[in-house]
Amino acid sequence: MLTYKRKLEMKKYINYLFILNIFWISACDDEFMDKYPQTSIAPEAFFKSEQDLRLYVNGLLTLPGMFQYQVDQNSDNLATTGAVEIKNIMTGSPSSQNITVGWNWGRLRNINYFLENSRQADATVEVIEHYEGIARYYRAIFYANMVKRYSDVPWYDQLLSPSDEDLYKGRDTRESVVDGIMEDLEYASEHVTTDVPNGTPGNWAVKVFYARFALYEGTFRKYHEELSLQNTADTYLGKASEIAKVIMDSGKFSVYNTGNPENDYKTLFNSQELAGNGEVILFNAYDANKDRSSDVNTGVFGTYEQSPARDLVQSYLMADGSSFTDKAGYEKFSFVEEFQDRDPRLYQTLVYPGWVRVPESSAYIPILNRNFSGYYQHKGYSNTTDNLDLGGLDFPVYRYAEVLLTYAEAKAELGTLTQADLDASVNLLRNRVEMPALMLNEANAQPDPFMMAKYPMVSGAMAGVLLEIRRERRVELAVEGYRFDDLMRYGAGKLLENIPEGMYFSGLGKFDLTGDGVPDVLLVDKGTDIPEDDNKEVNELGKLLIYYKTGTIDDNVTVYLENGEDGGTMVTETSPRDFIEPKYYYRPIPIQQIALNPNLEQIFGWE
């Protein structure tokens, strides 16, 4: 949690930074890299001490928070009624004229301003290098996001004046920009210390992102022929496994496991205090008592924009380690059937039959609604009515689980993965929930057809185990905001063409949604008038059945089914999606920026 002293320091710095930013940031004009004006606070008046360095760098702090649980609306993990970018792109007419967000350099300007002036402070070399390392870590994150969005972008590692020729230069190559990112991360990993306040990045957090980006870039290069960089992929995959192994060998972190497989995983996402949790390398602390609330329950749980997709449900293994999609007739399993004997992480991520919502005492009956899947997420949801608890959940920014998955995936991509590697990584995560261990030879001998169909580019002797590691990553990191980036680096954008589906219903009639064998809802045809409560049917428990009018998406009904009254999966939308490769792995530079700087050219077919 933020201390009172630190909050005062932050307030002082924010006021200072606000004064500077009046002059610094002119979001989309041609002076975005200007030197600081003479009327602002000159750097020699501020960068005098270690405290000044700390205040400035603390002012640059940005951490993913509770809304990260909603980022997967961009992926195949969730259905959404929201106007998310990738859905709009696939169903519309995208161009540089209507995709105008993302090309913002103000944050880079602030980072480079610090790096240019930090050396003049009266502090030890170690202190200066620590804060420079944090700033370069932030610059690496900034550029990593730019590369993921645009690929080739101008690289600026110093401040510019209006007369500098580089102010209007064109794109630098992806290779050169990524070299700069890796140099920044290497410097930060060598100079940032481990002794930092809770909620701020230290050396281990830097290393987690270092490994994450190296894995991203290595796999992106491997699976994207349009870059012609496949021959350099292994360099980044090797670095990813190397840095992940350093973290693993440090002995500083461990998978959170108290021997309670039904709750340990869930605890990471509904905790009021993650400080001291051996799995959490960096967290974002929330406290409703300090006007910093984490309450996003209305976004995560319910029928507001997002709902989990059936494809995610089907990705979880059975409790015995076999594939759910190997079961005969799985495509027509009911809600209750598909939650039976599954990987416990499914129950700890999504609402399951029999789940009880506080303050109720009986099982929750999922509310069915138009354009929603019927599934509900409770990972990151605080099942309480206590307002302080609602606002006090900490968010795990970096988990040791990600490091283990990075290590296993990088080794598998390199073709050097061993059973010992799996036992030291993926199988620690499976052990937490008492799932059978992933066996290297068995996975490679019989790759899962369900997974092979998703990722046809995966091949070679390690194909089977690599597919299982990808499944493990999707399951372990579900709805934490990783899935879209994963699909992009896998070259699996075509999966986003599949419109998310919801629960399966065989047709009209009564259905049990709580798992007690007693019907809870009644689906009626679109021409039926839903009766008043006095005339509704009552189930064996003496409770009124919940009625829903059923039809297709064009009908004036409550529940959309694939085949209307004849049943099928719940329909979330019907607009055809088209993911154009390789174009849609990238975004155009907004047309306004091209007008300001004609040296910037569109690539990959964007106009």
Side-chain angles (χ1 to χ4, degrees):
M1 301 296 180
L2 295 175
T3 65
Y4 179 72
K5 179 180 179 182
R6 186 176 165 216
K7 288 180 72 176
L8 287 178
E9 290 179 341
M10 290 292 290
K11 183 175 181 181
K12 172 186 172 184
Y13 173 71
I14 290 169
N15 289 336
Y16 160 74
L17 189 59
F18 174 75
I19 294 171
L20 289 182
N21 277 345
I22 291 174
F23 305 98
W24 283 0
I25 301 174
S26 50
C28 295
D29 65 22
D30 58 355
E31 298 181 353
F32 74 98
M33 286 287 182
D34 283 1
K35 289 275 192 178
Y36 65 91
Q38 296 301 313
T39 53
S40 69
I41 299 175
E44 58 269 19
F46 178 77
F47 293 99
K48 291 183 176 182
S49 66
E50 177 180 347
Q51 182 186 29
D52 291 344
L53 299 182
R54 182 176 68 252
L55 289 176
Y56 193 108
V57 169
N58 284 347
L60 295 174
L61 177 66
T62 59
L63 294 175
M66 299 301 289
F67 285 96
Q68 194 74 4
Y69 291 123
Q70 300 179 45
V71 172
D72 271 2
Q73 291 183 60
N74 285 292
S75 79
D76 56 352
N77 279 350
L78 298 174
T80 181
T81 59
V84 299
E85 184 180 68
I86 189 60
K87 187 174 75 170
N88 291 344
I89 286 174
M90 291 188 294
T91 59
S93 300
S95 72
S96 61
Q97 298 184 49
N98 52 40
I99 301 178
T100 58
V101 298
W103 193 263
N104 193 314
W105 299 80
R107 180 167 174 79
L108 177 65
R109 175 66 174 79
N110 292 343
I111 293 169
N112 284 341
Y113 184 87
F114 174 83
L115 290 170
E116 183 166 292
N117 293 290
S118 58
R119 288 275 167 174
Q120 67 190 41
D122 182 15
T124 66
V125 172
E126 290 76 16
V127 166
I128 292 173
E129 289 178 341
H130 163 75
Y131 288 110
E132 284 189 357
I134 294 293
R136 291 182 68 168
Y137 159 75
Y138 288 146
R139 185 167 67 186
I141 293 176
F142 171 86
Y143 264 112
N145 289 331
M146 295 296 279
V147 166
K148 283 190 284 188
R149 188 168 178 85
Y150 302 105
S151 197
D152 300 350
V153 292
W155 172 264
Y156 297 105
D157 59 2
Q158 58 187 357
L159 294 171
L160 300 177
S161 68
S163 61
D164 285 325
E165 292 183 2
D166 280 353
L167 188 63
Y168 295 102
K169 71 177 181 177
R171 297 178 187 244
D172 289 307
T173 65
R174 184 185 187 110
E175 302 98 295
S176 63
V177 176
V178 169
D179 284 345
I181 293 171
M182 297 297 279
E183 287 176 11
D184 276 349
L185 289 173
E186 183 66 21
Y187 181 92
S189 71
E190 292 176 351
H191 294 95
V192 173
T193 69
T194 59
D195 185 17
V196 295
N198 281 337
T200 62
N203 187 271
W204 297 112
V206 168
K207 285 183 167 66
V208 174
F209 185 80
Y210 195 175
R212 176 192 292 184
F213 180 72
L215 178 70
Y216 181 93
E217 187 64 15
T219 48
F220 200 97
R221 293 187 182 201
K222 181 173 181 176
Y223 294 107
H224 285 266
E225 294 182 356
E226 71 273 11
L227 296 179
S228 299
L229 295 173
Q230 294 98 319
N231 63 335
T232 62
D234 284 0
T235 298
Y236 295 92
L237 294 170
K239 179 58 72 171
S241 65
E242 173 193 328
I243 300 300
K245 192 65 163 64
V246 169
I247 300 171
M248 293 161 65
D249 289 345
S250 72
K252 300 286 186 181
F253 310 101
S254 60
V255 173
Y256 179 73
N257 188 349
T258 69
N260 187 346
E262 300 301 322
N263 287 289
D264 283 342
Y265 175 76
K266 179 177 64 177
T267 297
L268 293 163
F269 313 103
N270 64 0
S271 174
Q272 297 286 322
E273 182 57 80
L274 288 176
N277 187 304
E279 183 170 337
V280 179
I281 298 172
L282 177 64
F283 64 94
N284 195 342
Y286 290 89
D287 191 335
N289 283 313
K290 298 180 180 178
D291 296 323
R292 184 166 162 70
S293 175
S294 65
D295 181 15
V296 292
N297 281 3
T298 54
V300 168
F301 182 92
T303 54
Y304 176 76
E305 287 197 356
Q306 74 179 47
S307 57
R310 197 173 200 226
D311 187 75
L312 173 62
V313 175
Q314 293 177 344
S315 295
Y316 289 79
L317 294 170
M318 301 300 294
D320 63 4
S322 63
S323 177
F324 171 76
T325 51
D326 283 343
K327 296 184 73 66
Y330 77 91
E331 303 95 333
K332 296 184 178 181
F333 276 12
S334 69
F335 175 60
V336 172
E337 289 174 311
E338 62 190 356
F339 273 80
Q340 292 174 352
D341 301 320
R342 303 294 296 280
D343 181 333
R345 286 172 291 190
L346 176 58
Y347 316 128
Q348 296 174 64
T349 300
L350 304 185
V351 169
Y352 52 88
W355 181 79
V356 177
R357 185 185 186 189
V358 174
E360 303 298 326
S361 58
S362 57
Y364 179 75
I365 303 171
I367 298 172
L368 309 183
N369 210 339
R370 287 175 283 198
N371 300 109
F372 288 86
S373 67
Y375 301 107
Y376 286 72
Q377 173 185 333
H378 71 94
K379 182 177 182 177
Y381 171 79
S382 184
N383 191 14
T384 179
T385 57
D386 187 309
N387 287 331
L388 292 180
D389 284 351
L390 286 171
L393 296 187
D394 288 351
F395 178 78
V397 175
Y398 294 147
R399 288 200 288 132
Y400 185 53
E402 180 193 349
V403 176
L404 300 179
L405 291 165
T406 294
Y407 177 74
E409 184 179 345
K411 295 281 283 185
E413 290 283 11
L414 290 166
T416 61
L417 183 73
T418 66
Q419 185 61 49
D421 292 329
L422 283 175
D423 292 340
S425 57
V426 170
N427 288 335
L428 295 179
L429 302 176
R430 288 194 172 194
N431 181 62
R432 166 170 39 209
V433 290
E434 294 187 351
M435 284 289 291
L438 175 58
M439 305 306 293
L440 180 70
N441 292 337
E442 291 179 11
N444 286 331
Q446 294 183 312
D448 185 348
F450 176 78
M451 297 296 291
M452 290 176 65
K454 285 185 176 294
Y455 311 111
M457 287 194 293
V458 174
S459 60
M462 289 283 180
V465 75
L466 181 55
L467 291 172
E468 291 307 319
I469 291 169
R470 289 189 179 186
R471 183 207 305 275
E472 194 71 22
R473 182 176 175 89
R474 185 181 189 185
V475 165
E476 177 67 28
L477 304 178
V479 296
E480 292 179 56
Y482 293 83
R483 182 64 176 170
F484 179 77
D485 280 353
D486 286 347
L487 292 177
M488 295 301 97
R489 64 188 179 91
Y490 297 157
K494 283 290 184 180
L495 289 176
L496 295 176
E497 291 182 343
N498 300 321
I499 298 173
E501 298 178 347
M503 291 179 183
Y504 177 85
F505 291 92
S506 58
L508 304 180
K510 302 173 185 177
F511 295 91
D512 169 26
L513 297 183
T514 60
D516 61 2
V518 178
D520 307 294
V521 301
L522 175 60
L523 303 189
V524 298
D525 68 69
K526 61 185 178 183
T528 300
D529 291 328
I530 297 179
E532 298 295 329
D533 285 354
D534 290 346
N535 296 317
K536 286 181 179 178
E537 285 193 48
V538 177
N539 66 18
E540 298 170 24
L541 301 177
K543 295 184 178 180
L544 295 175
L545 291 177
I546 303 171
Y547 284 59
Y548 292 101
K549 280 190 178 183
T550 307
T552 65
I553 201 166
D554 296 320
D555 294 325
N556 183 22
V557 295
T558 318
V559 174
Y560 300 143
L561 293 184
E562 180 183 11
N563 302 310
E565 296 170 5
D566 294 326
T569 54
M570 291 181 66
V571 176
T572 61
E573 58 181 288
T574 57
S575 298
R577 299 178 171 195
D578 185 16
F579 189 97
I580 300 174
E581 296 183 310
K583 182 179 179 179
Y584 288 176
Y585 289 109
Y586 312 94
R587 300 292 176 267
I589 298 176
I591 193 170
Q592 300 94 327
Q593 300 303 319
I594 300 289
L596 290 171
N597 179 7
N599 290 319
L600 296 172
E601 298 180 352
Q602 303 291 8
I603 56 179
F604 298 117
W606 283 104
E607 296 179 355

